[in-house]
Amino acid sequence: MKKIILAAGVLLAAAFGIQAADVRLNPDHPDEYVVQKGDTLWDISGTFLAQPWYWPEIWQVNPQVENPHLIYPGDRLRLVYVEGQPRLQLERAPRPYRLSPGADRLAPQVRREAVTEAIPAIPLDAINAFLSRTRIVEPNAFEGTPYVISGQDQRILMGAGERIYARGDFRAPLASYGIYRPGEVYADPYTGEILGMQALDVGDVDLYQLDPDERQDFAVATMEVTRTSREIRLEDRLLPVEERSIAALFQPGAPATPVEGVILGVEEGVTQIGKYDVVAINQGEREGLQPGHVLAIYKRGAVVHDRIERENVKLPDERAGLLMVFRTFDKMSLGLVLEADRALEVLDLVRNP
């Protein structure tokens, strides 16, 4: 079974609106636990807590421990009580070290780095494309941008290792570009507000040479394709590469403000959603969402007919899963489904957990 990999770290509980009285321990929690290779913070949190997103409230950082924000295999976690409140304390396991690349063995001070890697944030193979490449842009973001006009030998489908030709405004050329394809335009289902458009990641190219075009403001660029996630097609667009570092210290926590949103879509436009799928929701930075915020997913309650009162009655919404936000935009966010008790769908509700 796949596991969600989350890193240990410190976030102020107040940032997520957590109160100590809200923390409930798992009835079967151990008094201590030795971290195993392949463990995840989400799983470990669930071992100790009934509500894993309250992890920041019980994590007790030891300032005498090197890198106390990180958890490594072999580390020992002990459950203790401080002023009547549960806390987890860390006992760091001995770890082998190696010299950092380029370190001088004869230097008085030699840099060292741990051979064992700390548990990273969430599985990079599952969301790497969404963290570093897939983008939510304004619907007019592609207007006036260069576009693919041909492949080598006039091919219409191209891949990594080939040359392509692009035409457009290259008056301020860059060494590298990302290739994108217009995706779904997202609108708020309640207000109709346009929230953004998905720019589907296609690949990366390096600029090889520029040749003047018959239009003075245009040029024809010869590009080397360095990476593809799908076949390059004619009319695919070029945008500057967006450099985004992958956050390796996500902390699960509840938003400080009320959240009432919906799932807008899932990659490739499918409607059925399951565990570890990446979804887009109609809440973003302007609503106070941050990477690491955990939201509950609800199925809408059905409307049934009350035959005695002769009127329609809406049944309660039913909780069906959890997601964690890992990338935010102004009006939208991307989240990874952590738990799914039943099949989820576009337009299912998301709320505070």
Side-chain angles (χ1 to χ4, degrees), residues 158-233:
M158 296 137 274
E162 299 183 32
R163 282 188 177 179
I164 66 169
Y165 303 92
R167 185 174 188 240
D169 185 351
F170 287 99
R171 285 176 290 185
L174 302 175
S176 300
Y177 291 85
I179 302 181
Y180 294 89
R181 187 172 302 151
E184 183 176 358
V185 176
Y186 295 111
D188 190 284
Y190 302 119
T191 66
E193 179 188 10
I194 300 300
L195 304 177
M197 179 179 68
Q198 187 179 36
L200 293 172
D201 170 63
V202 176
D204 293 328
V205 292
D206 288 342
L207 179 61
Y208 180 73
Q209 72 179 42
L210 275 178
D211 293 283
D213 187 83
E214 57 188 27
R215 282 186 53 173
Q216 291 186 352
D217 54 345
F218 271 29
V220 175
T222 303
M223 302 280 193
E224 302 278 1
V225 181
T226 58
R227 179 196 63 86
T228 56
S229 59
R230 43 174 62 86
E231 287 185 313
I232 300 172
R233 300 176 185 170

Side-chain angles (χ1 to χ4, degrees), residues 196-321:
M197 179 179 68
Q198 187 179 36
L200 293 172
D201 170 63
V202 176
D204 293 328
V205 292
D206 288 342
L207 179 61
Y208 180 73
Q209 72 179 42
L210 275 178
D211 293 283
D213 187 83
E214 57 188 27
R215 282 186 53 173
Q216 291 186 352
D217 54 345
F218 271 29
V220 175
T222 303
M223 302 280 193
E224 302 278 1
V225 181
T226 58
R227 179 196 63 86
T228 56
S229 59
R230 43 174 62 86
E231 287 185 313
I232 300 172
R233 300 176 185 170
L234 303 183
E235 301 183 13
D236 282 345
R237 295 282 181 160
L238 275 63
L239 293 176
V241 175
E242 183 186 42
E243 296 294 340
R244 291 181 65 96
S245 60
I246 296 176
L249 292 175
F250 288 136
Q251 273 289 321
T257 57
V259 174
E260 290 283 346
V262 298
I263 294 175
L264 294 175
V266 65
E267 175 73 339
E268 304 297 348
V270 300
T271 57
Q272 293 297 311
I273 302 165
K275 196 171 184 179
Y276 308 128
D277 278 338
V278 173
V279 297
I281 64 174
N282 68 334
Q283 305 283 291
E285 294 168 357
R286 68 178 182 179
E287 286 81 23
L289 283 185
Q290 302 172 14
H293 278 161
V294 175
L295 298 173
I297 306 171
Y298 286 82
K299 304 292 293 184
R300 296 176 186 269
V303 176
V304 299
H305 185 67
D306 183 335
R307 292 189 293 180
I308 294 179
E309 296 294 334
R310 298 182 181 180
E311 60 186 9
N312 291 333
V313 178
K314 181 183 178 299
L315 299 181
D317 300 330
E318 296 183 9
R319 185 163 167 163

Side-chain angles (χ1 to χ4, degrees), residues 82-102:
V82 178
E83 298 180 353
Q85 299 299 325
R87 295 288 184 269
L88 279 178
Q89 291 185 343
L90 171 66
E91 179 183 318
R92 182 72 80 210
R95 299 196 308 281
Y97 284 87
R98 63 183 173 217
L99 292 176
S100 299

